[in-house]
């Protein structure tokens, strides 16, 4: 159960990522006075620099878990730790990229990416980091564009740059590619992997796409229906770049879909 | 290559049969300019041809001015190609010049020349020009007084309304106390306060400022509040995970996101504050365009009333144009949704 960081590709900055410990976390929503349980005794331990995918049926509580990791909400029970320090509130070392890019429409691309540094009051001395982040996602020429002038894929790249400019220790991805067309999606999956390999941050990816999880992650954690519990913790021991047609991945995919009760459709 | 043959033929054919199209183009481009010129010549002639039925000193000047405008319209539109953007602008407005010239001619004839319209109530154009030339100091004083009063009240009302709106939208405690007060007092027309305001405030000027601020403040408050309240929580989540403190959330997230709403409130506030301004000036303040209107009515100086009305509408529409220009500058990121 304890994961060893057996990553197939060498990491350039192995020290950048933080360890994440989710210990017996349970959470519930209050809906009209009634408690609706969404997470049930979830424990996950993530090594520094690991790429972990959280897979589960839609609405099972994966995104809620991400909000807890980000510090946006507090769990009803259990604890979350980043490098042994308890997570109580949001911090720029744990940045979320949401399913919607949620760029601020009144800010240019550059100003959107600069948001984190500006909020922390260090933008003036570190403007170069914004330019670097834009270069990283290949949108330097769009620095003065407004969000409504961007395509869906470009907007999501800007959102990614806005997260990466903070040099996060944990990158939290909440179905960031869910709304993109399949071609853009495949391109951005490859970009995500190469960014992760270059930067070495710990990555937590929520997805409902088994193939995406298997192509990207070193570990896939499968959740049950709501309230979510960990159903399986699957190691994907395959070098990058991975091939979608890889029989090993196809086998894992069948296994995962079986866990989700979808084996009949395979 | 065959796909290009059509345009090729047109291009090579044009010079050959150039005469008729040239005339047509000239008529299309300059015909309306000529028509405008004719309309203004008609105004000039109507001024000078017949005797006035009353005693107006500017009839002759108006006639001359009409001829000058006619000449300018003619040369301006015919020679528009040599005048650059000014020429293009003039050509674009030429139909309006025609309409204006025709209207003024009709007005001149119907009032000063044949008195088809009852006379003291419908003064001719030259009578209004006479007001602008002979009564200029008093009119200017009134304009300055109105602008000062309006500007002071509006700025106070907009600032207070904006701050109140942001506070209600942001803080539950402020909302708890201010919202009922707003619900109770806000819908009351500001003019209803007029009698009370005029004897509770030390001067009629401060009373009017308060009323204008009140009329401006209510829509600005409500729309700023609804703007702040309708900001998607996703924006706050993003900012918080990037390390934003509460002050950043208010200043850099809530307010910019609410700004389009705020401008709707400022626009509505401007409209209702004009109404209060005029009423306040008519009733209490002994200065300003509202007072000028009242004063002119007292003396049965109808030309002065029309003159003041024209100035007033120019000021009001100028103020709104200015507000929209500011909005367009601040909200460049937004596509033009409200047109003016």
């Amino acid at each position: 159960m304890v994961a060893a960081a057996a990553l197939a590709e060498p990491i350039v900055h192995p020290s950048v990522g933080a360890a994440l410990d989710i210990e017996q976390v349970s959470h519930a929503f209050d809906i009209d006075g009634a408690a609706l349980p969404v997470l049930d005794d979830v424990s996950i331990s993530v090594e520094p620099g690991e790429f972990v995918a959280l897979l589960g049926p839609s609405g099972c509580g994966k995104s809620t878990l991400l909000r807890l990791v980000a510090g946006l909400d507090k769990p009803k029970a259990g604890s979350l730790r980043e490098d042994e320090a308890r997570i109580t509130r949001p911090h720029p070392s744990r940045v979320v990229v949401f399913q919607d890019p949620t760029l601020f429409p009144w800010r240019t691309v550059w100003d959107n990416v600069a948001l984190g540094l500006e909020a922390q009051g260090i933008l003036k001395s570190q403007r170069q980091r914004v330019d670097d982040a834009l270069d990283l996602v290949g949108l330097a020429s769009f620095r003065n564009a407004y969000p409504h002038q961007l395509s869906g894929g470009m907007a999501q790249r800007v959102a990614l740059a806005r997260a990466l400019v903070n040099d996060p220790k944990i990158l939290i991805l909440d179905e960031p590619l869910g709304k993109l067309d399949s071609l853009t999606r495949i391109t951005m999956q490859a970009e995500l992997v190469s960014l992760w390999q270059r930067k070495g941050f710990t990555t937590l990816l929520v997805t409902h796409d088994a193939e995406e999880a298997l192509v990207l992650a070193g570990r896939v954690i499968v959740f049950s229906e709501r309230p979510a519990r960990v159903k399986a913790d699957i190691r994907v021991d395959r070098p990058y770049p991975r091939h979608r047609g890889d029989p090993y991945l196809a086998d894992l995919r069948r296994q995962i879909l079986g866990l989700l009760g979808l084996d009949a459709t395979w | 290559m065959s796909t290009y043959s059509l345009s090729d033929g047109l291009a090579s054919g044009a010079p050959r049969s150039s005469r008729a199209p040239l005339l047509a183009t000239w008529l299309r481009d300059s015909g309306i300019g000529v028509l405008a010129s004719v309309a203004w010549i008609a105004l000039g002639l109507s001024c000078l041809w017949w005797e006035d039925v009353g005693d107006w000193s500017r009839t002759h000047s108006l006639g001359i001015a009409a001829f000058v405008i006619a000449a300018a319209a003619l040369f301006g539109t015919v020679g528009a190609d040599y005048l650059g953007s000014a020429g293009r602008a003039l050509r674009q407005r030429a139909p309006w010049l025609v309409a204006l010239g025709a209207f003024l001619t009709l007005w001149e004839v119907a009032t000063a020349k044949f008195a088809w319209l009852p006379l003291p109530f419908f003064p001719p154009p030259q009578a209004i020009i006479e007001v602008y030339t002979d009564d200029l100091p008093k009119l200017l004083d009134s304009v300055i007084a109105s602008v000062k009063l309006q500007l002071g009240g509006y700025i106070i009302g907009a600032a207070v309304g904006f701050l109140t709106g942001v506070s209600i939208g942001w803080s539950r405690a402020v909302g708890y106390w201010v919202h009922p007060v707003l619900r109770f007092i806000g819908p009351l027309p500001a003019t209803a306060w007029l009698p009370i305001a005029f004897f509770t405030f030390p001067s009629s000027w401060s009373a009017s400022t308060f009323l204008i601020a009140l009329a401006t403040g209510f829509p600005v408050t409500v729309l700023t509040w609804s703007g702040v309240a309708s900001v998607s929580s996703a924006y706050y989540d993003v900012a918080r995970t990037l390390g934003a403190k509460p002050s950043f959330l208010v200043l850099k997230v809530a307010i910019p996101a609410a700004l389009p709403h705020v401008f709707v409130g400022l626009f509505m506030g401007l409209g209702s504050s004009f109404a209060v301004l005029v009423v306040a000036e008519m009733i209490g303040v002994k200065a300003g365009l509202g007072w000028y209107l009242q004063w002119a009515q007292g003396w049965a100086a109808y030309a002065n009333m029309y003159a003041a009305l024209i100035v007033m509408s120019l000021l009001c529409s100028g103020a709104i144009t200015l507000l929209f220009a500011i909005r367009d500058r601040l909200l460049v990121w937004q596509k033009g949704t409200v047109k003016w």
Side-chain angles (χ1 to χ4, degrees), chain B residues 162-176 224-232 235-236 239-240 244-255:
Chain B
F162 177 75
L163 292 177
T164 316
V166 172
S167 318
I168 308 174
W170 191 254
S171 154
R172 208 164 282 222
V174 176
Y176 176 82
T224 304
W225 166 28
S226 83
V228 171
S230 66
V231 177
S232 161
Y235 290 143
Y236 296 128
R240 283 172 63 206
K245 291 167 198 64
S247 62
F248 188 91
L249 295 182
V250 177
L251 296 174
K252 301 281 180 148
V253 183
I255 289 176

Side-chain angles (χ1 to χ4, degrees), chain A residues 67 90 105-106 118 120 148 166, chain B residues 235 237 240 242 252 256 333:
Chain A
R67 287 182 67 84
W106 58 90
E118 193 182 332
Q120 295 155 48
H148 70 82
N166 302 286
Chain B
Y235 290 143
D237 284 348
R240 283 172 63 206
L242 294 173
K252 301 281 180 148
W333 56 272

Side-chain angles (χ1 to χ4, degrees), chain A residues 179-215:
Chain A
K179 283 191 176 169
L180 302 181
D181 64 276
S182 55
L183 291 178
T184 315
R185 209 173 153 144
I186 290 170
T187 322
M188 287 202 53
Q189 286 171 350
E191 283 175 27
L192 265 180
V193 168
S194 88
L195 281 171
W196 165 67
Q197 286 179 322
R198 263 187 286 168
K199 295 281 183 180
F201 40 71
T202 309
T203 306
L204 221 54
L205 168 77
V206 155
T207 180
H208 51 222
D209 179 350
E211 189 187 87
E212 182 171 277
L214 289 168
V215 167

Side-chain angles (χ1 to χ4, degrees), chain B residues 113-163:
Chain B
K113 303 306 176 185
F114 299 104
W116 295 329
L117 295 169
L119 238 190
F121 311 111
F122 294 95
Q126 55 263 47
I128 290 170
I129 289 172
E130 205 175 317
V131 175
Y132 288 136
T133 52
D134 297 5
D135 204 25
L136 190 63
K138 197 181 211 166
L139 205 54
L140 270 184
D141 283 349
S142 303
V143 168
I144 291 168
S146 284
V147 169
K148 263 165 75 180
L149 187 58
Q150 167 71 22
L151 215 59
Y154 185 71
I155 288 172
I156 293 171
V160 171
F162 177 75
L163 292 177

Side-chain angles (χ1 to χ4, degrees), chain A residues 38-242:
Chain A
V38 277
L39 294 172
D40 182 18
D41 196 23
V42 174
S43 292
I44 302 167
S45 174
V46 182
E47 298 285 320
E50 225 182 339
F51 195 136
V52 176
L54 309 179
L55 194 70
S58 157
C60 75
K62 309 173 295 247
S63 298
T64 308
L65 184 60
L66 285 201
R67 287 182 67 84
L68 299 179
V69 173
L72 288 167
D73 295 323
K74 284 188 188 120
K76 292 270 192 281
S79 71
L80 299 102
R81 291 171 199 282
E82 175 194 8
D83 276 345
E84 302 304 313
R86 196 168 177 144
I87 295 170
T88 51
R89 65 169 78 98
H91 190 273
S93 70
R94 289 169 269 117
V95 183
V96 191
V97 178
F98 294 95
Q99 183 174 20
D100 290 309
T102 42
L103 300 178
F104 291 8
W106 58 90
R107 284 174 168 246
T108 60
V109 165
W110 197 92
D111 288 333
N112 263 291
V113 175
L115 203 65
L117 301 183
E118 193 182 332
Q120 295 155 48
I122 53 172
L123 178 61
K124 276 214 177 100
S125 56
Q126 318 223 346
R127 301 174 64 87
Q128 186 59 39
R129 282 169 70 180
V130 179
D131 297 325
D132 292 346
L134 276 173
D135 280 336
L136 203 61
V137 297
L139 284 175
S141 55
F142 283 88
R143 64 207 309 275
N144 293 324
Y146 281 100
H148 70 82
Q149 297 166 308
L150 304 177
S151 70
M154 281 152 78
Q156 201 53 275
R157 272 201 193 94
V158 176
L160 201 57
R162 180 175 64 184
L164 294 177
V165 75
N166 302 286
D167 283 335
K169 290 187 168 155
I170 302 178
L171 183 65
I172 303 164
L173 303 167
D174 189 359
E175 294 187 44
L177 312 180
K179 283 191 176 169
L180 302 181
D181 64 276
S182 55
L183 291 178
T184 315
R185 209 173 153 144
I186 290 170
T187 322
M188 287 202 53
Q189 286 171 350
E191 283 175 27
L192 265 180
V193 168
S194 88
L195 281 171
W196 165 67
Q197 286 179 322
R198 263 187 286 168
K199 295 281 183 180
F201 40 71
T202 309
T203 306
L204 221 54
L205 168 77
V206 155
T207 180
H208 51 222
D209 179 350
E211 189 187 87
E212 182 171 277
L214 289 168
V215 167
L216 296 178
R219 227 170 113 196
V220 178
I221 292 169
V222 183
F223 285 99
S224 66
E225 299 267 343
R226 194 187 62 233
R229 330 164 132 262
V230 176
K231 222 173 184 182
D233 188 340
I234 298 164
R235 183 154 301 285
V236 188
D237 203 357
R238 245 7 197 194
Y240 298 95
R242 289 175 182 163

